[in-house]
Amino acid sequence: MIGRSCFDKVIAAYRRVIRITSISYKRSHTITQLNGNSGSVRPLDFREGLSMIIEGTKIEAASYVPLLQECINRNSLSEVKIVHGHIIKTGTHQDPFVMTFLVNVYAKCGTMEEAKRVFYNLPRINAVAWTSLMTGYVQNSQPELAIHVFLDMLEAGAYPTNITLGTAINACSSMESSKLGNQIHAYIVKYRTEDDTSVGNSVCSLYSKCGSLGSAIKAFRRIREKNVISWTTVICACGENGEAFQGINFFVKMLSEGIEPNEFTLTSILSMCSTMLSLGVGLQVHSLSIKLGYESSLRIRNCVMYLYLRCGSIDEAQKLFDGMQRVSLVTWNAIIAGHAQMIEIAKDDLSAHHRGTEALKIFSKLNRSGMKPDLYTFSSVLTVCSRLVALEQGEQTHAQILKTGFLSDVVVGTALVNMYNKCGSIERGSKAFVEMSMRTLISWTSMITGFANHGHSQQALDLFEDMLLAGVRPNQITFVGVLSACSNAGMVHEALNYFEMMQKDYKIRPVPDHFECLIDMFVRLGRLEEALDFIKKMDFEPNEVIWSLLVGGCRRHGNMELGFYAAEQLLKLKPKDPDNYLMLLGMYLSAERWEDVSRVKNLMKEEKISKIQYWSWIGIKDQVYSFKPNDRLHPQSAEIYKLLDELLDRAESLGYKSQECFELIDEDDEEQTFSSTVYHSEKLAVAFGMLNTLNVAPILVIKSTPMCRDCHNFIKVVSSETGRQIIVRDSKRIHKFVNGHCSCGDFGFGL
DNA sequence: CTAGGGTTAG
């Protein structure tokens, strides 16, 4: 980074020179045009050219250009060096045109050191050469250096062309320095080159990057002869500034004026369709791009695939992916992220789980393909691991990240912290957090929430105070973590304090999530009247979660009158969460209110509540094993039940009493019946885990519905009897069983 | 001269 005084120097120098040279634009322009004309030399085929070079045959100077161009397309620095060597051998390094082009070539290959060396050895340095070096620095994310070159150029007495000015503006755009940009723009206006197409394009882009769409559109309007780049720039400006719809309008106008979009235009429009989730428009653009001959364009294919993913048509996306012969890393990343995103919105846990394992499969395919994953890949994969509670895969990914050096990236680091926390290892999560060299709001929030979910309330609150001391401003989500920490520990006083702090000090409006934490807290403490008071105080209607918390609390604390009232409210909302139907059925059943039981069942049919699936699953190595209640399909069934019966006996001798717990069982395909069962799916999965993992390894089980009280008691005893850590993540929270205790404080199970 | 597509907390 260079200081502001340097910019002032640039401006001062620029001011000096532009006064003397303002008349000479025309002349510089001709130089460009002359250089742009490569004459009537027959272009060489790449292979032909390269073999001539290897044989040492002399080739014409102008033939080097298409040859080098092909090297760029193939992104092959080694081939560039071969050609460069030949240029020197044949004495063509005296040719200013070829050598200037070589500056571009090295810049495009990302090696600015080489580009600089060629530049300083040029036989003659003209405006095009200066501009090439500047462009190189802008492209390689060193805009400050581009401005330095600009200054050198002016001091050397060279005349900036329109393209030079445009490049200087581009450097300002990358630095997001509207100040310097404005200054240069002022001179552009003064010397009336504003209506020039390439200058105007750059100015339009500058204002878009600086966040003023209005100025960007004005700059666009002032361009006399708008080309496809001008249109693309203004369309992108709309997209970048959250006005995708306006961008589409510009696109339509562009088409009606007979300007043909190119690959850039099409990809920009397609990604805007993705953000707007307008699959229909996007597909029309896709067929337009096929008509225009871009059917095999990888970039357009990536965009269309991403469009499908965003709009939830994952199968279409997968089909497109499978049909692509050539893919880029972005293609892989998009399909992995797409599957990861589908985990959230999947209809049921089993299909969500399927999405996740699919994503991990694609990731290992990517690794086998020889392409190197990057920080985007790793962030997505870690997210998938955390959602699947796939600790082993997460550890492997962690190792791979260490090897490839992406751990220094703050997003990857945050995803890693989150993965360990979600997979039950708060120790490694907090270790990874401490080791981060930089933390964002999201990192802090993730760790606070991690502590809260693991029942480490005090640590969550301490960390929150650290965060404030570090000068990071909490947001709504941070406070959800803080309040849930208070709620889990029953810290009423602290909860109310933080709730007030959030509103008064940080001006954050409470959302339902915040109230849910508070109401949950009062309900757990059996302070049902206070919970009800709080509900009355909210400035929005109580939602499904809030009523269901109240119903659950009333059942637990035996306040049936309030319980039935809350249940009525819940029924009125026609809940979406299958767990709530289960809870209501349980309540009415134990109260022997048969009419209400059938009322709930009818509502379930009416609302098309999918069958409640009591699946549990466990991942061992790369395989995932799933279990239904009383599952006997598994090949190891005999061993599983034998171990389970042994454990039940041992537990009973220690005072564990099996309790009747109800789950809805699928007896035939049509009807769900209510029945009690000892062999709940989580018991089976835990036993299976014991049989198939090392004695020291923690057992990780996921369950699609809340754990019941019986399984919770049983697994507590098992954890102390066997000395194994057992982690069950159910649909509500994480339960970490260690030495007979659960991190949820025994308030976190279902019925 | 446009420089596009993919990531983290709930």
Side-chain angles (χ1 to χ4, degrees):
Chain A
M1 236 350 188
I2 55 174
R4 177 169 299 153
S5 58
C6 275
F7 292 149
D8 293 340
K9 222 171 90 190
V10 174
I11 290 296
Y14 185 55
R15 205 183 296 241
R16 256 191 342 267
V17 178
I18 200 113
R19 257 188 223 122
I20 324 166
T21 60
S22 57
I23 12 154
S24 32
Y25 284 115
K26 275 247 150 57
R27 207 178 56 148
S28 337
H29 218 77
T30 4
I31 298 171
T32 332
Q33 278 166 0
L34 276 178
N35 282 343
N37 179 3
S38 56
S40 54
V41 183
R42 183 180 73 91
L44 281 175
D45 169 67
F46 183 67
R47 271 238 197 104
E48 191 187 343
L50 208 61
S51 61
M52 282 170 84
I53 279 174
I54 290 162
E55 287 158 17
T57 320
K58 197 173 160 80
I59 60 178
E60 288 197 59
S63 294
Y64 283 114
V65 174
L67 216 53
L68 288 166
Q69 187 61 53
E70 183 55 26
C71 293
I72 297 174
N73 295 344
R74 299 155 67 107
N75 196 17
S76 166
L77 183 61
S78 52
E79 281 168 343
V80 172
K81 291 205 164 147
I82 294 172
V83 178
H84 188 180
H86 191 265
I87 290 174
I88 293 170
K89 250 191 269 168
T90 55
T92 318
H93 63 289
Q94 294 300 327
D95 185 317
F97 173 48
V98 171
M99 294 317 277
T100 303
F101 190 72
L102 200 58
V103 174
N104 277 320
V105 174
Y106 276 121
K108 282 250 165 65
C109 293
T111 47
M112 283 313 289
E113 282 307 308
E114 285 297 322
K116 213 165 77 181
R117 237 181 46 206
V118 176
F119 176 83
Y120 284 114
N121 288 313
L122 282 175
R124 225 174 50 231
I125 299 179
N126 63 13
V128 177
W130 285 110
T131 310
S132 295
L133 193 64
M134 281 172 68
T135 308
Y137 280 122
V138 175
Q139 281 168 351
N140 288 286
S141 337
Q142 293 172 295
E144 299 87 353
L145 293 180
I147 295 291
H148 272 300
V149 173
F150 186 47
L151 172 65
D152 289 346
M153 172 185 182
L154 299 175
E155 281 179 346
Y159 307 141
T161 67
N162 284 347
I163 293 178
T164 319
L165 292 173
T167 308
I169 291 276
N170 292 341
C172 300
S173 299
S174 332
M175 289 187 290
E176 285 177 29
S177 164
S178 56
K179 221 173 171 181
L180 186 55
N182 279 330
Q183 300 257 21
I184 299 180
H185 184 204
Y187 288 105
I188 289 171
V189 173
K190 192 167 174 193
Y191 293 101
R192 297 172 202 279
T193 51
E194 204 191 8
D195 61 349
D196 174 82
T197 311
S198 99
V199 172
N201 293 347
S202 294
V203 173
C204 176
S205 177
L206 169 76
Y207 283 116
S208 164
K209 294 277 176 335
C210 295
S212 54
L213 181 58
S215 306
I217 292 176
K218 270 185 207 150
F220 168 75
R221 296 229 160 95
R222 279 194 291 262
I223 300 171
R224 205 166 3 98
E225 285 168 32
K226 302 174 180 65
N227 63 8
V228 59
I229 297 171
S230 320
W231 286 97
T232 306
T233 309
V234 78
I235 289 168
C236 288
C238 296
E240 280 162 11
N241 290 282
E243 295 289 341
F245 191 73
Q246 203 177 353
I248 306 270
N249 282 338
F250 271 113
F251 181 62
V252 173
K253 195 144 180 280
M254 166 184 181
L255 294 178
S256 71
E257 295 197 5
I259 310 279
E260 190 179 305
N262 64 14
E263 200 186 25
F264 285 106
T265 328
L266 294 167
T267 50
S268 305
I269 284 290
L270 282 170
S271 58
M272 282 155 76
C273 293
S274 303
T275 44
M276 293 193 304
L277 303 177
S278 32
L279 186 60
V281 181
L283 293 183
Q284 284 187 48
V285 176
H286 185 207
S287 49
L288 174 67
S289 63
I290 290 171
K291 260 185 230 153
L292 295 173
Y294 294 103
E295 188 167 11
S296 58
S297 153
L298 179 58
R299 284 172 179 142
I300 288 187
R301 282 177 171 228
N302 282 342
C303 284
V304 175
M305 193 185 83
Y306 187 64
L307 176 74
Y308 280 126
L309 291 170
R310 284 271 315 188
C311 299
S313 311
I314 189 118
D315 295 329
E316 288 298 321
Q318 186 71 47
K319 231 165 51 193
L320 201 65
F321 180 78
D322 294 336
M324 283 161 81
Q325 301 95 336
R326 221 160 33 91
V327 293
S328 65
L329 185 57
V330 176
T331 324
W332 288 101
N333 288 346
I335 193 96
I336 291 172
H339 279 87
Q341 163 200 302
M342 293 302 288
I343 298 177
E344 292 288 282
I345 44 177
K347 291 184 301 295
D348 57 88
D349 293 284
L350 207 60
S351 68
H353 200 262
H354 174 70
R355 285 294 171 216
T357 37
E358 198 56 39
L360 293 182
K361 268 188 211 152
I362 298 173
F363 175 57
S364 62
K365 241 196 242 169
L366 160 65
N367 276 326
R368 272 178 275 131
S369 81
M371 215 177 266
K372 294 258 169 291
D374 68 357
L375 67 164
Y376 292 102
T377 331
F378 287 130
S379 316
S380 295
V381 169
L382 287 172
T383 310
V384 172
C385 293
S386 69
R387 304 232 168 103
L388 294 187
V389 196
L391 182 61
E392 233 174 285
Q393 301 263 17
E395 283 169 338
Q396 283 169 24
T397 312
H398 184 182
Q400 199 183 347
I401 292 169
L402 277 174
K403 266 188 244 157
T404 47
F406 283 108
L407 200 61
S408 55
D409 180 76
V410 66
V411 177
V412 174
T414 306
L416 187 72
V417 168
N418 189 49
M419 185 277 291
Y420 277 125
N421 289 345
K422 290 281 160 61
C423 290
S425 182
I426 191 83
E427 297 83 7
R428 275 180 288 178
S430 48
K431 185 166 177 282
F433 179 79
V434 170
E435 285 168 359
M436 287 174 84
S437 56
M438 204 185 105
R439 295 172 197 93
T440 62
L441 166 66
I442 298 180
S443 324
W444 289 98
T445 304
S446 179
M447 194 64 227
I448 290 169
T449 309
F451 278 134
N453 289 342
H454 280 261
H456 298 309
S457 299
Q458 195 52 53
Q459 275 169 288
L461 297 182
D462 290 346
L463 193 66
F464 177 67
E465 296 298 333
D466 288 346
M467 171 182 163
L468 297 184
L469 286 175
V472 179
R473 192 185 168 85
N475 69 5
Q476 204 186 69
I477 301 166
T478 319
F479 275 104
V480 176
V482 169
L483 291 177
S484 86
C486 298
S487 165
N488 287 342
M491 300 159 90
V492 177
H493 180 69
E494 288 82 353
L496 295 176
N497 273 348
Y498 283 122
F499 189 58
E500 197 183 304
M501 175 204 259
M502 173 178 92
Q503 296 170 80
K504 280 213 170 124
D505 300 352
Y506 295 98
K507 311 282 175 235
I508 297 170
R509 271 173 58 93
V511 293
D513 287 351
H514 299 125
F515 283 105
E516 286 160 18
C517 291
L518 296 171
I519 289 159
D520 190 19
M521 174 181 70
F522 286 123
V523 163
R524 281 155 169 255
L525 294 170
R527 291 155 73 165
L528 300 171
E529 293 299 329
E530 280 165 276
L532 197 60
D533 282 348
F534 232 94
I535 292 175
K536 284 176 187 155
K537 268 190 277 182
M538 301 187 313
D539 62 352
F540 54 88
E541 289 300 311
N543 60 21
E544 180 177 337
V545 179
I546 289 175
W547 286 126
S548 77
L549 282 170
L550 205 60
V551 173
C554 291
R555 280 200 72 192
R556 193 171 299 137
H557 295 101
N559 185 340
M560 293 323 285
E561 196 189 334
L562 187 55
F564 288 127
Y565 167 75
E568 282 308 315
Q569 305 307 312
L570 185 56
L571 279 170
K572 266 191 218 160
L573 291 178
K574 302 193 171 176
K576 297 278 167 286
D577 184 351
D579 292 347
N580 287 332
Y581 287 94
L582 179 66
M583 182 179 65
L584 290 169
L585 280 173
M587 182 171 82
Y588 288 132
L589 204 97
S590 46
E592 301 189 354
R593 290 166 69 137
W594 310 115
E595 269 178 34
D596 288 320
V597 170
S598 62
R599 192 155 65 105
V600 174
K601 281 192 175 180
N602 285 337
L603 188 60
M604 284 175 78
K605 271 191 202 131
E606 207 181 290
E607 291 295 298
K608 296 194 178 68
I609 296 299
S610 59
K611 288 208 176 99
I612 298 172
Q613 301 283 358
Y614 297 92
W615 290 90
S616 290
W617 50 80
I618 180 167
I620 291 171
K621 298 252 160 58
D622 286 353
Q623 281 292 311
V624 175
Y625 304 88
S626 47
F627 296 88
K628 285 195 300 188
N630 290 336
D631 199 325
R632 297 203 178 256
L633 295 172
H634 194 274
Q636 270 182 291
S637 265
E639 290 173 67
I640 293 171
Y641 281 95
K642 189 168 161 264
L643 175 64
L644 211 48
D645 287 338
E646 256 173 54
L647 288 169
L648 281 166
D649 282 346
R650 268 159 75 185
E652 271 165 13
S653 70
L654 288 163
Y656 156 81
K657 269 203 202 85
S658 86
Q659 288 174 312
E660 226 185 357
C661 275
F662 292 102
E663 281 194 353
L664 288 165
I665 299 273
D666 237 0
E667 288 205 329
D668 56 66
D669 265 339
E670 292 302 309
E671 182 73 15
Q672 292 193 325
T673 351
F674 214 54
S675 162
S676 97
T677 170
V678 215
Y679 298 111
H680 280 175
S681 58
E682 60 266 52
K683 288 199 183 96
L684 298 171
V686 166
F688 180 75
M690 297 215 160
L691 289 171
N692 292 288
T693 56
L694 295 173
N695 267 335
V696 285
I699 293 171
L700 283 167
V701 170
I702 314 177
K703 194 180 187 226
S704 58
T705 48
M707 284 187 83
C708 73
R709 184 190 300 263
D710 180 55
C711 286
H712 199 269
N713 284 340
F714 175 66
I715 293 174
K716 271 204 305 195
V717 179
V718 170
S719 76
S720 67
E721 261 301 276
T722 61
R724 295 279 289 249
Q725 272 190 25
I726 301 167
I727 295 154
V728 181
R729 203 188 70 184
D730 68 13
S731 56
K732 298 282 186 238
R733 53 172 48 82
I734 298 176
H735 304 266
K736 184 171 179 174
F737 299 90
V738 185
N739 288 329
H741 295 280
C742 177
S743 61
C744 79
D746 292 354
F747 284 109
F749 43 83
L751 291 176

